[in-house]
Amino acid sequence: MWVVEWESCLQYCDHRKLAVVEENGRGVRFVNKKEKRVALYRVDGCLLKEGVKCDFLFLVIEGDRAFFIELKGSDLEKAVHQITRTIEQLGKWLPGYIFEGRIVTTRVRTPALKSTYLIKLEKMLRRTGGTLVVKAKWDEVNV
């Protein structure tokens, strides 16, 4: 399932074996060996123009997984807040999807790893069967 109203923010929707979401030297590689149907949407400045939001939404349509992606310098707490707000705003359009959070930073400050906002986001994602992963520079996901 993909949302017709979001078509103007769609960057691609196909069966590519490798999907890369990248910005400023940070990114996520999605390895799609089974060639499932996947879609990438630009959230920041397109799906959501106002308020706090993450950078991208990557959907694994054949598998019902939604990856909310924030590519950030080092402010982990702000990235957590951006993903949380995006899920609150867009999640209702994705019933039945497993929500996954991916934050890729230049570096992670250790005190930020224990943030109450981070714990709240992890609980939100767990309710759908998903997880939050925080990586420095790059992440790789098998879909």
Side-chain angles (χ1 to χ4, degrees), residues 91-106:
K92 64 185 173 215
W93 296 98
L94 301 166
Y97 271 72
I98 295 169
F99 294 166
E100 305 273 2
R102 291 296 183 274
I103 299 172
V104 181
T105 64
T106 304

mmCIF file of all heavy atoms in Angstrom, residues 91-106:
data_model
loop_
_atom_site.group_PDB
_atom_site.id
_atom_site.type_symbol
_atom_site.label_atom_id
_atom_site.label_comp_id
_atom_site.label_asym_id
_atom_site.label_seq_id
_atom_site.Cartn_x
_atom_site.Cartn_y
_atom_site.Cartn_z
ATOM 1 N N GLY A 91 1.731 8.264 10.841
ATOM 2 C CA GLY A 91 1.466 6.870 11.194
ATOM 3 C C GLY A 91 0.054 6.407 10.912
ATOM 4 O O GLY A 91 -0.167 5.258 10.526
ATOM 5 N N LYS A 92 -0.915 7.301 11.061
ATOM 6 C CA LYS A 92 -2.321 6.926 10.829
ATOM 7 C C LYS A 92 -2.578 6.508 9.381
ATOM 8 O O LYS A 92 -3.532 5.809 9.088
ATOM 9 C CB LYS A 92 -3.240 8.072 11.232
ATOM 10 C CG LYS A 92 -3.052 9.316 10.396
ATOM 11 C CD LYS A 92 -3.884 10.482 10.891
ATOM 12 C CE LYS A 92 -3.522 11.733 10.131
ATOM 13 N NZ LYS A 92 -3.581 12.929 10.941
ATOM 14 N N TRP A 93 -1.706 6.931 8.462
ATOM 15 C CA TRP A 93 -1.849 6.577 7.051
ATOM 16 C C TRP A 93 -1.258 5.211 6.737
ATOM 17 O O TRP A 93 -1.349 4.743 5.602
ATOM 18 C CB TRP A 93 -1.165 7.625 6.161
ATOM 19 C CG TRP A 93 -1.791 8.979 6.255
ATOM 20 C CD1 TRP A 93 -1.371 10.030 7.026
ATOM 21 C CD2 TRP A 93 -2.947 9.429 5.575
ATOM 22 N NE1 TRP A 93 -2.204 11.089 6.868
ATOM 23 C CE2 TRP A 93 -3.188 10.757 5.966
ATOM 24 C CE3 TRP A 93 -3.821 8.833 4.657
ATOM 25 C CZ2 TRP A 93 -4.257 11.498 5.492
ATOM 26 C CZ3 TRP A 93 -4.875 9.591 4.174
ATOM 27 C CH2 TRP A 93 -5.083 10.892 4.591
ATOM 28 N N LEU A 94 -0.632 4.588 7.733
ATOM 29 C CA LEU A 94 0.072 3.324 7.511
ATOM 30 C C LEU A 94 -0.407 2.238 8.477
ATOM 31 O O LEU A 94 0.393 1.637 9.201
ATOM 32 C CB LEU A 94 1.588 3.544 7.684
ATOM 33 C CG LEU A 94 2.202 4.577 6.745
ATOM 34 C CD1 LEU A 94 3.588 4.974 7.221
ATOM 35 C CD2 LEU A 94 2.240 4.055 5.319
ATOM 36 N N PRO A 95 -1.711 1.951 8.487
ATOM 37 C CA PRO A 95 -2.211 0.927 9.412
ATOM 38 C C PRO A 95 -1.634 -0.440 9.068
ATOM 39 O O PRO A 95 -1.491 -0.793 7.900
ATOM 40 C CB PRO A 95 -3.725 0.959 9.200
ATOM 41 C CG PRO A 95 -3.907 1.489 7.810
ATOM 42 C CD PRO A 95 -2.765 2.453 7.597
ATOM 43 N N GLY A 96 -1.263 -1.189 10.091
ATOM 44 C CA GLY A 96 -0.729 -2.526 9.885
ATOM 45 C C GLY A 96 0.761 -2.565 9.610
ATOM 46 O O GLY A 96 1.352 -3.637 9.552
ATOM 47 N N TYR A 97 1.392 -1.412 9.445
ATOM 48 C CA TYR A 97 2.830 -1.370 9.190
ATOM 49 C C TYR A 97 3.611 -1.489 10.499
ATOM 50 O O TYR A 97 3.169 -1.023 11.540
ATOM 51 C CB TYR A 97 3.236 -0.059 8.505
ATOM 52 C CG TYR A 97 3.173 -0.113 7.005
ATOM 53 C CD1 TYR A 97 1.954 -0.148 6.332
ATOM 54 C CD2 TYR A 97 4.339 -0.122 6.249
ATOM 55 C CE1 TYR A 97 1.899 -0.205 4.951
ATOM 56 C CE2 TYR A 97 4.286 -0.170 4.862
ATOM 57 C CZ TYR A 97 3.067 -0.218 4.225
ATOM 58 O OH TYR A 97 3.019 -0.275 2.866
ATOM 59 N N ILE A 98 4.779 -2.104 10.411
ATOM 60 C CA ILE A 98 5.746 -2.118 11.502
ATOM 61 C C ILE A 98 6.570 -0.854 11.343
ATOM 62 O O ILE A 98 7.145 -0.614 10.277
ATOM 63 C CB ILE A 98 6.652 -3.365 11.411
ATOM 64 C CG1 ILE A 98 5.830 -4.626 11.622
ATOM 65 C CG2 ILE A 98 7.802 -3.270 12.418
ATOM 66 C CD1 ILE A 98 6.579 -5.900 11.289
ATOM 67 N N PHE A 99 6.615 -0.028 12.381
ATOM 68 C CA PHE A 99 7.373 1.224 12.321
ATOM 69 C C PHE A 99 8.783 0.994 12.850
ATOM 70 O O PHE A 99 8.971 0.475 13.943
ATOM 71 C CB PHE A 99 6.699 2.311 13.150
ATOM 72 C CG PHE A 99 5.361 2.748 12.635
ATOM 73 C CD1 PHE A 99 4.516 3.504 13.428
ATOM 74 C CD2 PHE A 99 4.918 2.409 11.370
ATOM 75 C CE1 PHE A 99 3.279 3.926 12.966
ATOM 76 C CE2 PHE A 99 3.682 2.820 10.902
ATOM 77 C CZ PHE A 99 2.860 3.582 11.703
ATOM 78 N N GLU A 100 9.759 1.408 12.045
ATOM 79 C CA GLU A 100 11.173 1.296 12.395
ATOM 80 C C GLU A 100 11.772 2.695 12.389
ATOM 81 O O GLU A 100 11.485 3.488 11.498
ATOM 82 C CB GLU A 100 11.915 0.441 11.360
ATOM 83 C CG GLU A 100 11.342 -0.936 11.123
ATOM 84 C CD GLU A 100 11.865 -1.980 12.090
ATOM 85 O OE1 GLU A 100 12.655 -1.627 12.994
ATOM 86 O OE2 GLU A 100 11.489 -3.139 11.927
ATOM 87 N N GLY A 101 12.603 2.995 13.368
ATOM 88 C CA GLY A 101 13.307 4.271 13.412
ATOM 89 C C GLY A 101 14.778 4.071 13.093
ATOM 90 O O GLY A 101 15.402 3.141 13.616
ATOM 91 N N ARG A 102 15.316 4.895 12.229
ATOM 92 C CA ARG A 102 16.738 4.839 11.894
ATOM 93 C C ARG A 102 17.304 6.247 12.005
ATOM 94 O O ARG A 102 16.858 7.165 11.309
ATOM 95 C CB ARG A 102 16.971 4.314 10.477
ATOM 96 C CG ARG A 102 16.639 2.847 10.287
ATOM 97 C CD ARG A 102 17.541 1.973 11.135
ATOM 98 N NE ARG A 102 17.321 0.550 10.950
ATOM 99 C CZ ARG A 102 16.413 -0.167 11.606
ATOM 100 N NH1 ARG A 102 15.612 0.401 12.467
ATOM 101 N NH2 ARG A 102 16.320 -1.468 11.406
ATOM 102 N N ILE A 103 18.280 6.402 12.901
ATOM 103 C CA ILE A 103 18.973 7.672 13.066
ATOM 104 C C ILE A 103 20.431 7.428 12.727
ATOM 105 O O ILE A 103 21.074 6.553 13.317
ATOM 106 C CB ILE A 103 18.840 8.210 14.506
ATOM 107 C CG1 ILE A 103 17.358 8.456 14.846
ATOM 108 C CG2 ILE A 103 19.664 9.491 14.679
ATOM 109 C CD1 ILE A 103 17.107 8.802 16.299
ATOM 110 N N VAL A 104 20.933 8.179 11.766
ATOM 111 C CA VAL A 104 22.337 8.062 11.381
ATOM 112 C C VAL A 104 22.974 9.421 11.639
ATOM 113 O O VAL A 104 22.559 10.427 11.071
ATOM 114 C CB VAL A 104 22.491 7.634 9.911
ATOM 115 C CG1 VAL A 104 23.963 7.504 9.555
ATOM 116 C CG2 VAL A 104 21.762 6.321 9.653
ATOM 117 N N THR A 105 23.972 9.413 12.531
ATOM 118 C CA THR A 105 24.612 10.656 12.947
ATOM 119 C C THR A 105 26.085 10.660 12.542
ATOM 120 O O THR A 105 26.637 9.637 12.173
ATOM 121 C CB THR A 105 24.548 10.807 14.486
ATOM 122 O OG1 THR A 105 25.289 9.758 15.076
ATOM 123 C CG2 THR A 105 23.123 10.790 14.988
ATOM 124 N N THR A 106 26.684 11.839 12.647
ATOM 125 C CA THR A 106 28.124 11.947 12.449
ATOM 126 C C THR A 106 28.821 11.298 13.636
ATOM 127 O O THR A 106 29.768 10.556 13.493
ATOM 128 C CB THR A 106 28.538 13.429 12.339
ATOM 129 O OG1 THR A 106 27.782 14.012 11.286
ATOM 130 C CG2 THR A 106 30.012 13.571 12.059
#
